[in-house]
């Protein structure tokens, strides 16, 4: 069974940093593009970042470019999102998803990041 | 980056058909055949329903179909069922290696 489990979400102060992880099971992530998508409380989905299968290509939404870094460890079957200089507007549930470069066909249940003093 | 435009809500009775629109620009929806649709029930993760405008992943009922005309993509759900009540989001490739979601549409089954 394909499974994605996000972790690392927590309460952090504005300006702080946090690293999210997404552990995959039931498949090997090395064959897939991987994405991070977030959803602020009561709001819609917002695409954050994606990375290709071997990690050589990444892209970011303008709102997080220069602050967030996506990476992957195919040997550990795990995706990461390093988030720096966090702002209140980064508060959201963060989902990881596997898929193609333009689609996520399987999603995790999400991890909540709260940025507040 | 502006979100794609979706109606806030649509509704239909069981057995009826509903269509949800997703309007972008000639730089995103109109430029690429990379529109996806996701279903999200409250408190749950999104589920892929349509990709590449009109392709259906295995396991998704054929009551769900997608299309595109110009800068507007559409998701049509025929033979509405109670379990179809959910939020629906479109997503398009927007060039410059970026993806963009719509604001979401709440489907109510009357």
């Amino acid at each position: 069974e394909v499974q994605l489990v996000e972790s690392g979400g927590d309460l952090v102060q504005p300006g702080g940093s946090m690293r999210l992880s997404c552990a995959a099971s039931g498949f090997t992530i090395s064959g897939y593009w991987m994405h991070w998508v977030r959803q602020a409380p009561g709001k819609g989905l917002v695409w954050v970042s994606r990375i290709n299968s071997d990690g050589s290509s990444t892209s970011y939404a303008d709102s997080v470019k220069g602050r967030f870094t996506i990476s992957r460890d195919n040997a550990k079957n795990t995706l990461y999102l390093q988030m720096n200089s966090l702002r209140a507007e980064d508060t959201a549930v963060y989902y990881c998803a596997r898929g193609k470069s333009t689609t996520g066909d399987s999603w995790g249940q999400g991890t909540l990041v709260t940025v507040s003093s | 980056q502006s979100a794609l435009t979706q109606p806030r809500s649509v509704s239909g009775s069981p057995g009826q058909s509903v269509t949800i629109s997703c309007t972008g620009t000639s730089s995103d929806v109109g430029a690429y055949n990379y529109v996806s649709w996701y279903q999200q029930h409250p408190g749950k993760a999104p589920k892929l329903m349509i990709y590449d405008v009109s392709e259906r992943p295995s396991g998704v009922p054929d009551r769900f179909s997608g299309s595109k005309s110009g800068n507007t993509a559409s998701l049509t759900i025929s033979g509405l069922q109670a379990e179809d009540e959910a939020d629906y989001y479109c997503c398009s490739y927007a060039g410059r290696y970026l993806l963009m979601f719509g604001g979401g549409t709440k489907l109510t089954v009357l």
Side-chain angles (χ1 to χ4, degrees):
Chain A
E1 178 192 6
V2 171
Q3 195 168 14
L4 294 164
V5 179
E6 302 92 338
S7 61
D10 204 344
L11 172 65
V12 62
Q13 292 191 338
S17 297
M18 181 178 290
R19 187 176 84 156
L20 304 182
S21 299
C22 170
S25 59
F27 73 102
T28 54
I29 68 169
S30 60
Y32 296 89
W33 284 75
M34 299 294 293
H35 301 259
W36 287 100
V37 175
R38 69 185 182 185
Q39 187 170 35
K43 302 296 185 181
L45 301 174
V46 176
W47 176 79
V48 173
S49 180
R50 69 178 186 179
I51 186 168
N52 71 342
S53 57
D54 66 5
S56 62
S57 174
T58 61
S59 55
Y60 301 89
D62 289 347
S63 59
V64 306
K65 193 177 298 182
R67 300 188 299 124
F68 289 12
T69 301
I70 190 171
S71 63
R72 63 194 297 157
D73 186 334
N74 287 346
K76 294 184 177 180
N77 224 26
T78 301
L79 174 73
Y80 303 100
L81 186 67
Q82 177 67 43
M83 305 185 295
N84 299 329
S85 303
L86 282 162
R87 308 166 179 166
E89 54 265 35
D90 296 319
T91 294
V93 172
Y94 284 74
Y95 296 99
C96 66
R98 77 159 199 189
K100 306 188 305 177
S101 60
T102 57
T103 300
D105 61 28
S106 291
W107 294 59
Q109 287 303 307
T111 187
L112 176 62
V113 173
T114 303
V115 184
S116 174
S117 55
Chain B
Q1 295 170 307
S2 299
L4 305 175
T5 300
Q6 298 182 234
R8 285 212 167 203
S9 64
V10 298
S11 63
S13 299
Q16 288 187 331
S17 294
V18 295
T19 297
I20 300 171
S21 61
C22 170
T23 301
T25 70
S26 58
S27 297
D28 39 65
V29 174
Y32 308 98
N33 288 323
Y34 294 129
V35 178
S36 301
W37 289 91
Y38 298 89
Q39 176 192 67
Q40 187 180 35
H41 288 106
K44 301 296 187 181
K47 175 186 176 183
L48 179 66
M49 305 303 285
I50 295 288
Y51 67 98
D52 294 353
V53 175
S54 60
E55 298 299 313
R56 225 177 8 254
S58 61
V60 173
D62 60 6
R63 302 185 295 104
F64 291 83
S65 62
S67 62
K68 190 185 85 167
S69 177
N71 297 337
T72 298
S74 299
L75 173 71
T76 298
I77 309 171
S78 59
L80 263 181
Q81 299 182 3
E83 58 262 36
D84 298 334
E85 184 162 295
D87 294 324
Y88 291 84
Y89 295 89
C90 62
C91 180
S92 176
Y93 181 64
R96 299 192 300 122
Y97 309 107
L98 305 176
L99 296 177
M100 183 183 304
F101 278 94
T105 298
K106 179 177 180 58
L107 169 62
T108 300
V109 181
L110 302 171

